[in-house]
Amino acid sequence: FVKTRHDLAHFDLPEVFYTVQQERGVLLHKILGMIHNESEVERCLKYCRVRCIVLPERYNEISSIIRRILVQNDEVRRWFARGNKVYKERTISAEGKHYRPDRVVITPDGETIVVDFKFGDKHLPSYRQQVKKYMELVAEAGMPRVSGRIWYPLEGVIEKVE
């Protein structure tokens, strides 16, 4: 079963066909990209409902998933805690290319964590290389104590990237 989501066009997504699973992953990724910290979850979900980013028939499912994945473990809670400085999907230009980490978190104790969200069922080696590149660029920008994570929210899996 495939369908298109024309209502996601304002997120600059290409006009393509998505499976329901792919559509859900794109939607969850975008919602996580909107949330700065735990205090914004309900406001972001309400915004998505009002703007029909999440269709009414899917709202309960999507909002339940978002709430569940944000509290799945202490590390994830730390990334979305108040008091962090957060850069969400900010473009880094280097070497004539553009890079866009999903989330860069600078904690109050001075640690910088680069987090990349993955919603597919594949754990590809290229994901590690991608996050390593983000880490290198963030460190070159002068951020302190940089580490990286690949986060598979639907699986509850976090891979540390060294």
Side-chain angles (χ1 to χ4, degrees), residues 42-102:
E42 294 307 317
R43 182 183 57 80
C44 288
L45 289 170
K46 182 178 179 182
Y47 173 85
C48 289
R49 186 184 71 228
V50 169
R51 297 295 306 245
C52 293
I53 294 166
V54 177
L55 299 175
E57 64 269 19
R58 303 280 311 275
Y59 179 78
N60 288 339
E61 170 201 1
I62 296 298
S63 62
S64 175
I65 292 169
I66 289 291
R67 289 182 189 101
R68 179 177 44 82
I69 63 179
L70 288 176
V71 298
Q72 64 187 211
N73 67 46
D74 290 339
E75 189 166 15
V76 171
R77 282 192 290 274
R78 184 173 180 230
W79 301 336
F80 288 89
R82 293 181 190 187
N84 291 330
K85 183 169 183 139
V86 178
Y87 298 94
K88 302 174 294 186
E89 300 204 25
R90 291 274 183 96
T91 300
I92 302 170
S93 297
E95 305 160 358
K97 296 181 182 177
H98 302 291
Y99 302 89
R100 184 175 260 189
D102 292 331

Short mmCIF file of all heavy atoms in Angstrom, two decimals, residues 42-102:
data_model
loop_
_atom_site.label_atom_id
_atom_site.label_comp_id
_atom_site.label_asym_id
_atom_site.label_seq_id
_atom_site.Cartn_x
_atom_site.Cartn_y
_atom_site.Cartn_z
N GLU A 42 4.05 18.81 23.89
CA GLU A 42 2.60 18.98 23.69
C GLU A 42 2.30 20.11 22.72
O GLU A 42 1.42 19.99 21.88
CB GLU A 42 1.89 19.20 25.03
CG GLU A 42 1.94 17.99 25.95
CD GLU A 42 1.45 16.69 25.30
OE1 GLU A 42 0.42 16.71 24.59
OE2 GLU A 42 2.11 15.65 25.51
N ARG A 43 3.04 21.21 22.81
CA ARG A 43 2.83 22.33 21.90
C ARG A 43 3.12 21.92 20.45
O ARG A 43 2.36 22.24 19.54
CB ARG A 43 3.71 23.51 22.30
CG ARG A 43 3.48 24.74 21.41
CD ARG A 43 4.41 25.89 21.76
NE ARG A 43 5.83 25.54 21.68
CZ ARG A 43 6.52 25.48 20.54
NH1 ARG A 43 5.94 25.73 19.39
NH2 ARG A 43 7.80 25.16 20.56
N CYS A 44 4.21 21.18 20.25
CA CYS A 44 4.55 20.73 18.90
C CYS A 44 3.52 19.76 18.34
O CYS A 44 3.14 19.85 17.17
CB CYS A 44 5.94 20.09 18.88
SG CYS A 44 7.27 21.29 19.07
N LEU A 45 3.06 18.85 19.18
CA LEU A 45 2.04 17.91 18.73
C LEU A 45 0.74 18.63 18.38
O LEU A 45 0.09 18.33 17.37
CB LEU A 45 1.79 16.84 19.79
CG LEU A 45 2.93 15.82 19.95
CD1 LEU A 45 2.70 14.96 21.19
CD2 LEU A 45 3.09 14.97 18.70
N LYS A 46 0.36 19.60 19.21
CA LYS A 46 -0.85 20.37 18.94
C LYS A 46 -0.70 21.14 17.62
O LYS A 46 -1.62 21.18 16.80
CB LYS A 46 -1.13 21.34 20.08
CG LYS A 46 -2.39 22.14 19.90
CD LYS A 46 -2.65 23.05 21.08
CE LYS A 46 -3.91 23.86 20.85
NZ LYS A 46 -4.17 24.79 21.95
N TYR A 47 0.45 21.76 17.42
CA TYR A 47 0.72 22.48 16.17
C TYR A 47 0.56 21.53 14.98
O TYR A 47 -0.06 21.89 13.98
CB TYR A 47 2.14 23.06 16.21
CG TYR A 47 2.58 23.68 14.92
CD1 TYR A 47 2.26 24.99 14.61
CD2 TYR A 47 3.35 22.95 14.00
CE1 TYR A 47 2.66 25.57 13.41
CE2 TYR A 47 3.75 23.52 12.81
CZ TYR A 47 3.40 24.82 12.52
OH TYR A 47 3.81 25.38 11.32
N CYS A 48 1.10 20.34 15.08
CA CYS A 48 1.01 19.36 13.99
C CYS A 48 -0.43 18.94 13.73
O CYS A 48 -0.82 18.72 12.58
CB CYS A 48 1.88 18.14 14.29
SG CYS A 48 3.65 18.49 14.20
N ARG A 49 -1.22 18.86 14.77
CA ARG A 49 -2.64 18.51 14.62
C ARG A 49 -3.40 19.65 13.96
O ARG A 49 -4.13 19.46 13.00
CB ARG A 49 -3.26 18.15 15.96
CG ARG A 49 -4.70 17.64 15.82
CD ARG A 49 -5.35 17.37 17.15
NE ARG A 49 -5.60 18.65 17.82
CZ ARG A 49 -5.29 18.92 19.07
NH1 ARG A 49 -4.74 18.01 19.83
NH2 ARG A 49 -5.55 20.09 19.59
N VAL A 50 -3.21 20.87 14.46
CA VAL A 50 -3.93 22.03 13.96
C VAL A 50 -3.57 22.32 12.51
O VAL A 50 -4.43 22.66 11.70
CB VAL A 50 -3.66 23.26 14.85
CG1 VAL A 50 -4.17 24.54 14.23
CG2 VAL A 50 -4.28 23.05 16.23
N ARG A 51 -2.30 22.17 12.16
CA ARG A 51 -1.83 22.44 10.80
C ARG A 51 -2.04 21.25 9.86
O ARG A 51 -1.62 21.29 8.70
CB ARG A 51 -0.35 22.81 10.82
CG ARG A 51 0.00 24.07 11.59
CD ARG A 51 -0.59 25.32 10.96
NE ARG A 51 -0.21 25.43 9.57
CZ ARG A 51 0.55 26.38 9.07
NH1 ARG A 51 1.00 27.32 9.84
NH2 ARG A 51 0.84 26.40 7.79
N CYS A 52 -2.63 20.18 10.35
CA CYS A 52 -2.89 18.95 9.58
C CYS A 52 -1.60 18.33 9.06
O CYS A 52 -1.59 17.65 8.03
CB CYS A 52 -3.87 19.20 8.45
SG CYS A 52 -5.53 19.57 9.03
N ILE A 53 -0.51 18.56 9.76
CA ILE A 53 0.73 17.86 9.45
C ILE A 53 0.54 16.39 9.83
O ILE A 53 0.99 15.49 9.13
CB ILE A 53 1.92 18.49 10.19
CG1 ILE A 53 2.15 19.92 9.66
CG2 ILE A 53 3.18 17.64 10.08
CD1 ILE A 53 3.06 20.77 10.51
N VAL A 54 -0.16 16.19 10.94
CA VAL A 54 -0.60 14.85 11.33
C VAL A 54 -2.10 14.82 11.09
O VAL A 54 -2.85 15.62 11.66
CB VAL A 54 -0.30 14.57 12.81
CG1 VAL A 54 -0.85 13.20 13.21
CG2 VAL A 54 1.19 14.65 13.10
N LEU A 55 -2.53 13.92 10.24
CA LEU A 55 -3.95 13.82 9.94
C LEU A 55 -4.73 13.36 11.17
O LEU A 55 -4.20 12.60 11.98
CB LEU A 55 -4.16 12.86 8.77
CG LEU A 55 -3.47 13.27 7.47
CD1 LEU A 55 -3.63 12.19 6.41
CD2 LEU A 55 -4.01 14.60 6.97
N PRO A 56 -5.97 13.83 11.31
CA PRO A 56 -6.74 13.50 12.51
C PRO A 56 -6.81 12.01 12.82
O PRO A 56 -6.71 11.61 13.98
CB PRO A 56 -8.13 14.07 12.20
CG PRO A 56 -7.88 15.16 11.22
CD PRO A 56 -6.70 14.71 10.41
N GLU A 57 -6.95 11.18 11.80
CA GLU A 57 -7.07 9.74 12.04
C GLU A 57 -5.76 9.10 12.49
O GLU A 57 -5.75 7.98 12.98
CB GLU A 57 -7.62 9.02 10.81
CG GLU A 57 -6.74 9.08 9.59
CD GLU A 57 -7.03 10.27 8.67
OE1 GLU A 57 -7.65 11.26 9.10
OE2 GLU A 57 -6.59 10.19 7.51
N ARG A 58 -4.65 9.82 12.36
CA ARG A 58 -3.34 9.29 12.78
C ARG A 58 -2.80 9.98 14.03
O ARG A 58 -1.77 9.59 14.57
CB ARG A 58 -2.30 9.49 11.66
CG ARG A 58 -2.60 8.90 10.32
CD ARG A 58 -2.32 7.42 10.18
NE ARG A 58 -1.05 6.94 10.61
CZ ARG A 58 0.07 6.93 9.89
NH1 ARG A 58 0.10 7.42 8.67
NH2 ARG A 58 1.17 6.42 10.38
N TYR A 59 -3.49 11.03 14.50
CA TYR A 59 -2.96 11.84 15.59
C TYR A 59 -2.68 11.04 16.86
O TYR A 59 -1.59 11.14 17.43
CB TYR A 59 -3.88 13.03 15.92
CG TYR A 59 -3.35 13.85 17.06
CD1 TYR A 59 -2.30 14.75 16.84
CD2 TYR A 59 -3.83 13.69 18.35
CE1 TYR A 59 -1.77 15.47 17.88
CE2 TYR A 59 -3.29 14.42 19.40
CZ TYR A 59 -2.27 15.31 19.16
OH TYR A 59 -1.74 16.02 20.19
N ASN A 60 -3.61 10.24 17.32
CA ASN A 60 -3.41 9.47 18.56
C ASN A 60 -2.22 8.53 18.44
O ASN A 60 -1.41 8.43 19.35
CB ASN A 60 -4.67 8.71 18.95
CG ASN A 60 -5.76 9.63 19.46
OD1 ASN A 60 -5.50 10.76 19.89
ND2 ASN A 60 -6.99 9.17 19.38
N GLU A 61 -2.10 7.86 17.30
CA GLU A 61 -0.99 6.94 17.08
C GLU A 61 0.36 7.68 17.10
O GLU A 61 1.28 7.29 17.83
CB GLU A 61 -1.15 6.24 15.73
CG GLU A 61 0.06 5.44 15.30
CD GLU A 61 0.11 5.17 13.79
OE1 GLU A 61 -0.80 5.61 13.06
OE2 GLU A 61 1.08 4.53 13.37
N ILE A 62 0.45 8.75 16.33
CA ILE A 62 1.70 9.49 16.20
C ILE A 62 2.09 10.16 17.52
O ILE A 62 3.24 10.09 17.95
CB ILE A 62 1.62 10.52 15.06
CG1 ILE A 62 1.42 9.83 13.70
CG2 ILE A 62 2.84 11.44 15.05
CD1 ILE A 62 2.54 8.90 13.28
N SER A 63 1.14 10.79 18.18
CA SER A 63 1.46 11.47 19.44
C SER A 63 1.87 10.46 20.51
O SER A 63 2.78 10.71 21.31
CB SER A 63 0.30 12.34 19.92
OG SER A 63 -0.84 11.58 20.17
N SER A 64 1.27 9.30 20.51
CA SER A 64 1.64 8.25 21.45
C SER A 64 3.07 7.77 21.20
O SER A 64 3.85 7.57 22.14
CB SER A 64 0.66 7.09 21.35
OG SER A 64 1.05 6.02 22.16
N ILE A 65 3.41 7.59 19.94
CA ILE A 65 4.77 7.15 19.59
C ILE A 65 5.79 8.20 20.03
O ILE A 65 6.81 7.87 20.66
CB ILE A 65 4.90 6.87 18.08
CG1 ILE A 65 4.07 5.64 17.70
CG2 ILE A 65 6.36 6.67 17.69
CD1 ILE A 65 3.93 5.43 16.20
N ILE A 66 5.53 9.46 19.73
CA ILE A 66 6.47 10.53 20.11
C ILE A 66 6.67 10.56 21.62
O ILE A 66 7.80 10.60 22.11
CB ILE A 66 5.97 11.91 19.60
CG1 ILE A 66 6.09 12.01 18.08
CG2 ILE A 66 6.71 13.06 20.29
CD1 ILE A 66 7.52 12.09 17.55
N ARG A 67 5.58 10.53 22.37
CA ARG A 67 5.70 10.56 23.83
C ARG A 67 6.50 9.36 24.36
O ARG A 67 7.31 9.50 25.26
CB ARG A 67 4.32 10.59 24.47
CG ARG A 67 3.60 11.90 24.29
CD ARG A 67 2.24 11.89 24.99
NE ARG A 67 1.47 13.06 24.67
CZ ARG A 67 0.48 13.08 23.79
NH1 ARG A 67 0.12 11.97 23.15
NH2 ARG A 67 -0.18 14.20 23.55
N ARG A 68 6.26 8.20 23.78
CA ARG A 68 6.93 6.98 24.22
C ARG A 68 8.43 7.01 23.92
O ARG A 68 9.25 6.69 24.78
CB ARG A 68 6.30 5.75 23.56
CG ARG A 68 6.95 4.42 23.93
CD ARG A 68 6.24 3.22 23.31
NE ARG A 68 5.87 3.36 21.93
CZ ARG A 68 6.69 3.16 20.89
NH1 ARG A 68 7.95 2.82 21.09
NH2 ARG A 68 6.26 3.30 19.65
N ILE A 69 8.80 7.43 22.71
CA ILE A 69 10.22 7.39 22.36
C ILE A 69 11.03 8.45 23.10
O ILE A 69 12.22 8.26 23.31
CB ILE A 69 10.45 7.46 20.84
CG1 ILE A 69 9.96 8.76 20.24
CG2 ILE A 69 9.85 6.26 20.15
CD1 ILE A 69 10.18 8.89 18.74
N LEU A 70 10.40 9.53 23.51
CA LEU A 70 11.14 10.58 24.22
C LEU A 70 11.47 10.22 25.66
O LEU A 70 12.28 10.87 26.29
CB LEU A 70 10.38 11.91 24.17
CG LEU A 70 10.37 12.57 22.80
CD1 LEU A 70 9.52 13.82 22.83
CD2 LEU A 70 11.78 12.89 22.34
N VAL A 71 10.84 9.18 26.18
CA VAL A 71 11.12 8.76 27.56
C VAL A 71 11.65 7.33 27.62
O VAL A 71 11.69 6.74 28.68
CB VAL A 71 9.88 8.91 28.48
CG1 VAL A 71 9.45 10.36 28.56
CG2 VAL A 71 8.74 8.02 28.02
N GLN A 72 12.11 6.80 26.47
CA GLN A 72 12.49 5.39 26.44
C GLN A 72 13.73 5.07 27.26
O GLN A 72 13.89 3.94 27.68
CB GLN A 72 12.62 4.87 25.00
CG GLN A 72 13.68 5.50 24.18
CD GLN A 72 13.62 5.06 22.72
OE1 GLN A 72 14.66 5.02 22.10
NE2 GLN A 72 12.48 4.75 22.16
N ASN A 73 14.60 6.04 27.49
CA ASN A 73 15.74 5.80 28.39
C ASN A 73 16.34 7.12 28.82
O ASN A 73 16.00 8.19 28.30
CB ASN A 73 16.77 4.86 27.76
CG ASN A 73 17.48 5.46 26.57
OD1 ASN A 73 17.92 6.60 26.61
ND2 ASN A 73 17.59 4.69 25.50
N ASP A 74 17.25 7.06 29.78
CA ASP A 74 17.85 8.27 30.35
C ASP A 74 18.63 9.08 29.33
O ASP A 74 18.65 10.31 29.39
CB ASP A 74 18.76 7.92 31.53
CG ASP A 74 17.98 7.43 32.74
OD1 ASP A 74 16.77 7.73 32.83
OD2 ASP A 74 18.58 6.75 33.60
N GLU A 75 19.29 8.40 28.40
CA GLU A 75 20.09 9.13 27.42
C GLU A 75 19.21 9.99 26.52
O GLU A 75 19.50 11.17 26.29
CB GLU A 75 20.93 8.16 26.58
CG GLU A 75 21.92 8.88 25.70
CD GLU A 75 22.98 7.96 25.11
OE1 GLU A 75 22.82 6.73 25.14
OE2 GLU A 75 23.97 8.51 24.61
N VAL A 76 18.11 9.44 26.04
CA VAL A 76 17.19 10.20 25.21
C VAL A 76 16.59 11.36 26.02
O VAL A 76 16.53 12.49 25.52
CB VAL A 76 16.07 9.30 24.64
CG1 VAL A 76 15.00 10.14 23.95
CG2 VAL A 76 16.66 8.26 23.68
N ARG A 77 16.19 11.10 27.22
CA ARG A 77 15.65 12.18 28.08
C ARG A 77 16.67 13.29 28.24
O ARG A 77 16.31 14.47 28.25
CB ARG A 77 15.22 11.63 29.44
CG ARG A 77 13.88 10.91 29.39
CD ARG A 77 13.34 10.63 30.79
NE ARG A 77 14.10 9.63 31.50
CZ ARG A 77 13.91 8.32 31.41
NH1 ARG A 77 12.97 7.85 30.63
NH2 ARG A 77 14.66 7.48 32.09
N ARG A 78 17.94 12.93 28.35
CA ARG A 78 19.00 13.93 28.50
C ARG A 78 19.10 14.82 27.26
O ARG A 78 19.33 16.02 27.36
CB ARG A 78 20.32 13.22 28.76
CG ARG A 78 21.47 14.14 29.03
CD ARG A 78 22.69 13.34 29.46
NE ARG A 78 23.80 14.22 29.73
CZ ARG A 78 25.00 14.06 29.25
NH1 ARG A 78 25.29 13.03 28.48
NH2 ARG A 78 25.95 14.92 29.53
N TRP A 79 18.92 14.26 26.06
CA TRP A 79 19.01 15.04 24.83
C TRP A 79 17.89 16.06 24.72
O TRP A 79 18.02 17.06 24.03
CB TRP A 79 18.96 14.15 23.60
CG TRP A 79 20.03 13.12 23.51
CD1 TRP A 79 21.26 13.12 24.09
CD2 TRP A 79 19.93 11.89 22.79
NE1 TRP A 79 21.94 11.98 23.77
CE2 TRP A 79 21.15 11.20 22.97
CE3 TRP A 79 18.94 11.31 22.00
CZ2 TRP A 79 21.40 9.98 22.38
CZ3 TRP A 79 19.19 10.08 21.42
CH2 TRP A 79 20.40 9.43 21.61
N PHE A 80 16.76 15.78 25.37
CA PHE A 80 15.59 16.66 25.27
C PHE A 80 15.31 17.38 26.59
O PHE A 80 14.22 17.92 26.78
CB PHE A 80 14.36 15.84 24.84
CG PHE A 80 14.44 15.42 23.39
CD1 PHE A 80 15.05 14.23 23.04
CD2 PHE A 80 13.93 16.23 22.38
CE1 PHE A 80 15.14 13.84 21.70
CE2 PHE A 80 14.02 15.85 21.05
CZ PHE A 80 14.63 14.65 20.71
N ALA A 81 16.29 17.41 27.48
CA ALA A 81 16.12 18.06 28.78
C ALA A 81 16.23 19.57 28.65
O ALA A 81 16.92 20.09 27.77
CB ALA A 81 17.17 17.54 29.76
N ARG A 82 15.57 20.25 29.54
CA ARG A 82 15.70 21.70 29.62
C ARG A 82 17.13 22.03 30.05
O ARG A 82 17.77 21.27 30.74
CB ARG A 82 14.74 22.26 30.65
CG ARG A 82 13.30 22.11 30.25
CD ARG A 82 12.41 22.69 31.30
NE ARG A 82 11.03 22.33 31.01
CZ ARG A 82 10.01 22.78 31.67
NH1 ARG A 82 10.18 23.61 32.68
NH2 ARG A 82 8.80 22.41 31.34
N GLY A 83 17.60 23.18 29.65
CA GLY A 83 18.94 23.62 30.03
C GLY A 83 20.00 23.33 28.99
O GLY A 83 21.11 23.85 29.06
N ASN A 84 19.69 22.50 28.01
CA ASN A 84 20.63 22.22 26.93
C ASN A 84 20.58 23.34 25.89
O ASN A 84 19.53 23.96 25.69
CB ASN A 84 20.27 20.92 26.20
CG ASN A 84 20.48 19.69 27.03
OD1 ASN A 84 21.35 19.66 27.89
ND2 ASN A 84 19.69 18.66 26.78
N LYS A 85 21.68 23.54 25.23
CA LYS A 85 21.68 24.37 24.02
C LYS A 85 21.55 23.38 22.87
O LYS A 85 22.30 22.40 22.80
CB LYS A 85 22.98 25.17 23.91
CG LYS A 85 22.99 26.09 22.73
CD LYS A 85 24.16 27.05 22.78
CE LYS A 85 24.04 27.97 21.59
NZ LYS A 85 24.35 29.33 21.91
N VAL A 86 20.58 23.61 22.00
CA VAL A 86 20.27 22.63 20.96
C VAL A 86 20.28 23.29 19.58
O VAL A 86 19.71 24.36 19.39
CB VAL A 86 18.88 22.00 21.22
CG1 VAL A 86 18.52 21.01 20.12
CG2 VAL A 86 18.84 21.33 22.58
N TYR A 87 20.93 22.61 18.64
CA TYR A 87 20.89 23.00 17.24
C TYR A 87 20.15 21.89 16.51
O TYR A 87 20.61 20.75 16.47
CB TYR A 87 22.30 23.17 16.68
CG TYR A 87 23.08 24.26 17.38
CD1 TYR A 87 23.93 23.95 18.44
CD2 TYR A 87 22.95 25.59 16.99
CE1 TYR A 87 24.65 24.95 19.09
CE2 TYR A 87 23.66 26.59 17.64
CZ TYR A 87 24.50 26.25 18.69
OH TYR A 87 25.20 27.25 19.33
N LYS A 88 19.01 22.23 15.91
CA LYS A 88 18.17 21.25 15.24
C LYS A 88 18.26 21.43 13.73
O LYS A 88 17.90 22.47 13.21
CB LYS A 88 16.71 21.41 15.68
CG LYS A 88 16.52 21.26 17.18
CD LYS A 88 15.09 21.57 17.59
CE LYS A 88 14.79 23.04 17.34
NZ LYS A 88 13.50 23.48 17.82
N GLU A 89 18.78 20.42 13.06
CA GLU A 89 18.87 20.39 11.61
C GLU A 89 19.47 21.67 11.03
O GLU A 89 18.96 22.23 10.07
CB GLU A 89 17.50 20.09 11.02
CG GLU A 89 16.99 18.74 11.52
CD GLU A 89 15.98 18.10 10.61
OE1 GLU A 89 15.98 18.39 9.40
OE2 GLU A 89 15.20 17.29 11.10
N ARG A 90 20.57 22.09 11.61
CA ARG A 90 21.30 23.26 11.12
C ARG A 90 22.31 22.81 10.07
O ARG A 90 23.04 21.84 10.28
CB ARG A 90 22.05 23.95 12.26
CG ARG A 90 21.19 24.61 13.26
CD ARG A 90 20.85 26.04 12.82
NE ARG A 90 20.06 26.72 13.82
CZ ARG A 90 20.57 27.52 14.75
NH1 ARG A 90 21.86 27.71 14.82
NH2 ARG A 90 19.77 28.10 15.61
N THR A 91 22.35 23.51 8.98
CA THR A 91 23.27 23.17 7.90
C THR A 91 24.69 23.62 8.24
O THR A 91 24.89 24.74 8.71
CB THR A 91 22.82 23.82 6.58
OG1 THR A 91 21.50 23.35 6.27
CG2 THR A 91 23.77 23.49 5.45
N ILE A 92 25.64 22.72 8.01
CA ILE A 92 27.06 23.03 8.15
C ILE A 92 27.65 22.91 6.75
O ILE A 92 27.56 21.86 6.12
CB ILE A 92 27.77 22.03 9.09
CG1 ILE A 92 27.11 22.02 10.47
CG2 ILE A 92 29.26 22.34 9.18
CD1 ILE A 92 27.60 20.90 11.37
N SER A 93 28.24 23.97 6.27
CA SER A 93 28.86 23.95 4.94
C SER A 93 30.36 23.80 5.10
O SER A 93 30.99 24.54 5.85
CB SER A 93 28.55 25.25 4.19
OG SER A 93 27.15 25.36 3.98
N ALA A 94 30.90 22.83 4.40
CA ALA A 94 32.34 22.57 4.46
C ALA A 94 32.74 21.80 3.20
O ALA A 94 31.99 20.94 2.73
CB ALA A 94 32.70 21.76 5.70
N GLU A 95 33.91 22.11 2.70
CA GLU A 95 34.47 21.38 1.56
C GLU A 95 33.53 21.41 0.35
O GLU A 95 33.45 20.44 -0.40
CB GLU A 95 34.79 19.93 1.96
CG GLU A 95 35.71 19.83 3.16
CD GLU A 95 35.65 18.46 3.83
OE1 GLU A 95 34.88 17.59 3.39
OE2 GLU A 95 36.40 18.29 4.79
N GLY A 96 32.78 22.49 0.20
CA GLY A 96 31.86 22.61 -0.92
C GLY A 96 30.61 21.76 -0.80
O GLY A 96 29.86 21.63 -1.76
N LYS A 97 30.38 21.18 0.37
CA LYS A 97 29.20 20.34 0.60
C LYS A 97 28.40 20.90 1.77
O LYS A 97 28.89 21.70 2.55
CB LYS A 97 29.62 18.90 0.91
CG LYS A 97 30.33 18.22 -0.23
CD LYS A 97 30.69 16.80 0.14
CE LYS A 97 31.46 16.14 -0.99
NZ LYS A 97 31.88 14.80 -0.65
N HIS A 98 27.17 20.42 1.88
CA HIS A 98 26.30 20.83 2.98
C HIS A 98 25.93 19.60 3.80
O HIS A 98 25.54 18.57 3.25
CB HIS A 98 25.04 21.50 2.44
CG HIS A 98 25.33 22.70 1.60
ND1 HIS A 98 25.84 23.87 2.11
CD2 HIS A 98 25.23 22.89 0.27
CE1 HIS A 98 26.01 24.74 1.14
NE2 HIS A 98 25.65 24.17 0.01
N TYR A 99 26.08 19.73 5.11
CA TYR A 99 25.80 18.64 6.04
C TYR A 99 24.73 19.14 7.01
O TYR A 99 24.72 20.31 7.38
CB TYR A 99 27.07 18.26 6.82
CG TYR A 99 28.20 17.84 5.91
CD1 TYR A 99 29.10 18.76 5.41
CD2 TYR A 99 28.35 16.51 5.55
CE1 TYR A 99 30.14 18.38 4.57
CE2 TYR A 99 29.39 16.11 4.71
CZ TYR A 99 30.28 17.06 4.22
OH TYR A 99 31.31 16.67 3.40
N ARG A 100 23.85 18.22 7.44
CA ARG A 100 22.77 18.64 8.32
C ARG A 100 22.51 17.59 9.40
O ARG A 100 21.66 16.72 9.23
CB ARG A 100 21.52 18.88 7.49
CG ARG A 100 20.36 19.40 8.31
CD ARG A 100 19.21 19.74 7.44
NE ARG A 100 19.23 21.18 7.25
CZ ARG A 100 18.29 21.88 6.69
NH1 ARG A 100 17.24 21.28 6.21
NH2 ARG A 100 18.38 23.17 6.58
N PRO A 101 23.22 17.68 10.53
CA PRO A 101 22.92 16.75 11.63
C PRO A 101 21.51 17.00 12.15
O PRO A 101 21.05 18.15 12.19
CB PRO A 101 23.96 17.10 12.69
CG PRO A 101 24.78 18.21 12.17
CD PRO A 101 24.28 18.61 10.83
N ASP A 102 20.84 15.93 12.55
CA ASP A 102 19.47 16.07 13.06
C ASP A 102 19.43 16.89 14.33
O ASP A 102 18.55 17.73 14.51
CB ASP A 102 18.85 14.70 13.32
CG ASP A 102 18.60 13.93 12.04
OD1 ASP A 102 18.36 14.57 10.99
OD2 ASP A 102 18.65 12.70 12.07
#
